[in-house]
């Protein structure tokens, strides 16, 4: 039987409506949620991401600015810009678009963002809060993926969850979120021996490695929920980490690529920005 589709486009539309309403309510109190994006250099993929962020902000009533810095920007100039945005009350969220040009220190830059304005959830304080199970800003992609998993209505307690990929941006925070949901979590990566042995046990399988079609149908447990975080550009087409045609014959639920998790990432960024603005009201 073919799997049911977790439609990121539809879910995003519904969520963005709710976000718009909460933005409007904040505006009534005299606060316009604001997001500042720093883009360094001219990476074409980054420019597309940033444009989509701007569109998402405009659609939901969030004020946004993109600060486009030259590819030759120094570390000091970048950090000065971040500090200026930390102090600027118009912005509740700051996002430094990654990857940065090779001469810049990504980690040092991200650590300069005030944790309460870190709408990417990449600051070590926010990563640590998640690890410890305390409230903080959660990275957008795993937050969106978890939202989609919840939409299946499946009780996650005690389920076997297998995450493939151990990045700080997706794999590790995803594993922590699933642990918080009382799943038994296995985190697989490039050095995992016999990947299929692990993935075949998964009731919830999250693929976030960046290898097109890595997860084949015979690596999936019948009835599993399959979440494909991969965005791989192959011959001008976007493909996920999961061989969709095979997987949909085995899984109970599956996210398509495109139109799945990718869609949700920006929606969660909008939500994180809104929540940062809401928190700023209570902090006053
Ligand atoms: N580059 C690709 N995805 C992301 C993201 O979610 N946040 C940031 N800051 N950079 C990215």
């Amino acid at each position: 039987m073919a799997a049911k589709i977790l439609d990121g486009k539809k879910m995003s539309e519904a969520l963005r409506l709710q976000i718009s309403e909460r933005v409007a309510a904040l505006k009534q109190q005299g606060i316009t949620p604001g997001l500042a994006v720093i883009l360094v250099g001219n990476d074409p993929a980054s420019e597309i991401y940033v444009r989509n962020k701007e569109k998402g902000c405009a659609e939901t009533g969030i004020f946004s600015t993109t600060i486009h810095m030259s590819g030759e920007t120094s570390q000091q100039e970048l950090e000065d810009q971040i500090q200026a945005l930390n102090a600027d009350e118009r912005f509740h969220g700051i996002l430094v678009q990654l990857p940065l040009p090779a001469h810049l220190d990504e980690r040092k830059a991200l650590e300069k963002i005030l944790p309460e304005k870190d709408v990417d959830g990449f600051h070590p304080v926010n990563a640590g809060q998640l690890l410890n199970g305390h409230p903080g800003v959660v990275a957008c992609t795993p937050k969106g993926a978890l939202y989609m998993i919840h939409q299946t209505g499946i009780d996650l307690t005690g389920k076997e969850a297998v995450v493939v990929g151990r990045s700080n941006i997706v794999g590790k925070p995803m594993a922590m979120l699933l642990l918080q949901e009382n799943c038994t979590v296995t985190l697989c990566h490039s050095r995992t021996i016999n990947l299929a042995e692990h993935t075949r046990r998964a009731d919830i399988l999250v693929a976030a490695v960046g290898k097109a079609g890595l997860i084949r149908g015979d690596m999936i447990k019948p009835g599993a929920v399959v979440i494909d975080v991969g965005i791989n550009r192959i011959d001008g087409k976007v493909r996920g980490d999961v061989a969709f045609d095979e997987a949909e014959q085995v899984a109970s639920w599956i996210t398509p690529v495109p139109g799945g998790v990718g869609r949700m990432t920006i929606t969660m960024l909008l939500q994180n920005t809104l929540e940062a603005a809401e928190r700023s009201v209570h902090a006053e």
Side-chain angles (χ1 to χ4, degrees), residues 172-210:
K172 283 189 215 165
M174 189 76 241
M176 288 305 117
L177 287 172
L178 289 165
L179 188 59
Q180 248 171 44
E181 298 290 328
N182 302 314
C183 290
T184 301
V185 181
T186 304
L187 185 49
C188 297
H189 47 79
S190 54
R191 304 291 180 90
T192 295
I193 294 166
N194 204 343
L195 177 64
E197 210 169 83
H198 295 282
T199 59
R200 278 190 204 115
R201 284 204 329 267
D203 301 306
I204 314 291
L205 178 59
V206 181
V209 264

Side-chain angles (χ1 to χ4, degrees), residues 38 46 49 53 95-99 110 120 122 140-141 169 265 269:
I38 300 177
S46 289
Y49 279 130
K53 285 167 195 174
L95 180 145
V96 176
Q97 184 65 31
L98 303 178
L110 294 178
D120 257 331
F122 295 166
C140 304
T141 301
I169 295 179
T265 297
L269 172 70

